[in-house]
Amino acid sequence: MRFFPTPLPGCFTVELDRRGDDRGFFARFFCEREAAAAGIEARIVQINNSLSGARGTLRGLHWQLPPQVETKFVRCIRGAVCDMAVDLRPDSPTFGQHHWAELSADNRRMMVVPRGCAHGVLSLSDDAEILYAVSAFYTPEAERGIRFDDPRLAIRWPIAPCEVSEKDRRWPDFDPESADVQALRGLL
């Protein structure tokens, strides 16, 4: 695995080292030692699978409050997605900024979304499917979110989201002074 830093501290794109022959190839999805060497929280407790049937389906922007904050390792296994991280850590130099990467079954790239960042996935193709490993268990009462179209964040999605759940439409605007966001202090 090769880790490439993004502008957001702790957020990486990951290229898988493929070992191949005439049968195909082998590559690691995750290696605790390699992640730890890159400074990434390496404990994985859950692996989730998500399928978005229609191009333009948006899921997010979500995060969990401490102590259930999550690091996510995201990989697209069918189709293509825009994988988005928004830095909500008040003590981060990139607080309130975002970064996204195109992940696809063809490029086999992954993204690491660090603790304290909101996460969203926008399908760039029909039948886009992702696997993502997380460092904390999903805890409904700790789940929070922000609007995907919040003007303060000024996210320029690569295509217009057209399928968004009612729950994701109702998330509040980003408020840097909110107690939920301030609870993410010290996560750098």
Side-chain angles (χ1 to χ4, degrees):
M1 300 174 70
R2 289 174 283 140
F3 296 87
F4 299 93
T6 72
L8 306 182
C11 184
F12 294 85
T13 56
V14 182
E15 300 285 337
L16 304 179
D17 281 330
R18 296 177 1 172
R19 308 278 189 256
D21 58 26
D22 58 342
R23 299 169 296 165
F25 75 90
F26 170 87
R28 286 190 180 124
F29 175 84
F30 177 78
C31 177
E32 183 177 23
R33 281 189 298 237
E34 291 178 35
I40 300 167
E41 178 181 7
R43 179 176 182 250
I44 298 298
V45 299
Q46 207 168 281
I47 299 175
N48 302 313
N49 187 202
S50 174
L51 172 71
S52 294
R55 180 178 189 265
T57 299
L58 177 71
R59 298 173 187 274
L61 299 160
H62 309 134
W63 83 91
Q64 292 195 149
L65 290 172
Q68 289 81 24
V69 289
E70 308 165 292
T71 296
K72 296 179 180 179
F73 288 78
V74 185
R75 181 159 180 311
C76 183
I77 59 171
R78 182 172 21 159
V81 301
C82 162
D83 200 59
M84 177 70 66
V86 180
D87 193 343
L88 300 181
R89 301 165 294 184
D91 44 356
S92 170
T94 57
F95 178 58
Q97 297 177 29
H98 59 274
H99 175 78
W100 67 271
E102 183 174 332
L103 311 180
S104 72
D106 291 337
N107 72 21
R108 294 184 173 85
R109 186 174 298 128
M110 293 177 36
M111 192 155 103
V112 177
V113 179
R115 300 176 320 142
C117 287
H119 178 241
V121 178
L122 175 66
S123 60
L124 301 177
S125 68
D126 290 338
D127 297 320
E129 187 171 4
I130 63 170
L131 284 177
Y132 59 104
V134 295
S135 65
F137 294 104
Y138 173 66
T139 308
E141 58 274 11
E143 182 182 26
R144 297 295 186 271
I146 50 177
R147 275 190 26 224
F148 70 95
D149 59 353
D150 182 326
R152 178 180 280 219
L153 296 176
I155 295 173
R156 297 170 102 181
W157 297 94
I159 63 171
C162 56
E163 294 287 332
V164 182
S165 73
E166 191 56 38
K167 174 182 168 182
D168 286 345
R169 286 187 188 282
R170 286 193 315 257
W171 288 120
D173 285 343
F174 173 55
D175 177 1
E177 302 303 319
S178 74
D180 289 344
V181 170
Q182 291 303 308
L184 300 175
R185 283 196 176 282
L187 292 180
L188 266 182

